[in-house]
Amino acid sequence: MKASPTLASNLQMVLTVSTDTRLDELTGGLISTKDAVKLVTARLERTVKTTRDVHDEVDEEDPTSADLLHAAIERLEQLAWMVNAETMTPSAAVTEPAK
């Protein structure tokens, strides 16, 4: 079975992105959950920053692709908040749901 040009192009893009990443490599070995949450949150935030950095340039060339980047930014920011929430300290005691 021969790979389609689109599949080959997508694979090449993934390989290029992974080779040219701006993210620091994770250290080997076990780390604490708190440290893992910090590392994952930092990587999500760095990915958002990189995506924001290229957004305007992409928007000039292809507004539809820029819309996709905007959606990705929105979702990555949500995920960064949710992952980081693992380390947040509650500011109020909740013992039962609000009525």
Side-chain angles (χ1 to χ4, degrees), residues 20-24 39-53 76 80:
D20 295 339
T21 184
R22 296 179 185 178
L23 300 175
D24 296 332
L39 289 169
V40 170
T41 301
R43 280 158 175 71
L44 287 167
E45 290 171 347
R46 177 63 182 175
T47 303
V48 167
K49 181 186 180 325
T50 300
T51 307
R52 284 189 186 283
D53 289 347
L76 289 167

Side-chain angles (χ1 to χ4, degrees), residues 28-43:
L30 294 175
I31 59 174
S32 71
T33 300
K34 188 172 186 175
D35 288 344
V37 167
K38 287 179 184 179
L39 289 169
V40 170
T41 301
R43 280 158 175 71

Side-chain angles (χ1 to χ4, degrees), residues 54-98:
V54 301
H55 179 273
D56 291 343
E57 186 179 336
V58 170
D59 194 29
E60 289 175 15
E61 295 291 324
D62 184 2
T64 302
S65 293
D67 289 344
L68 294 172
L69 289 178
H70 183 76
I73 289 168
E74 182 178 5
R75 183 64 178 142
L76 289 167
E77 287 176 332
Q78 290 172 346
L79 291 170
W81 186 91
M82 289 189 306
V83 170
N84 192 50
E86 180 68 28
T87 63
M88 293 180 183
T89 304
S91 57
V94 178
T95 57
E96 61 185 66

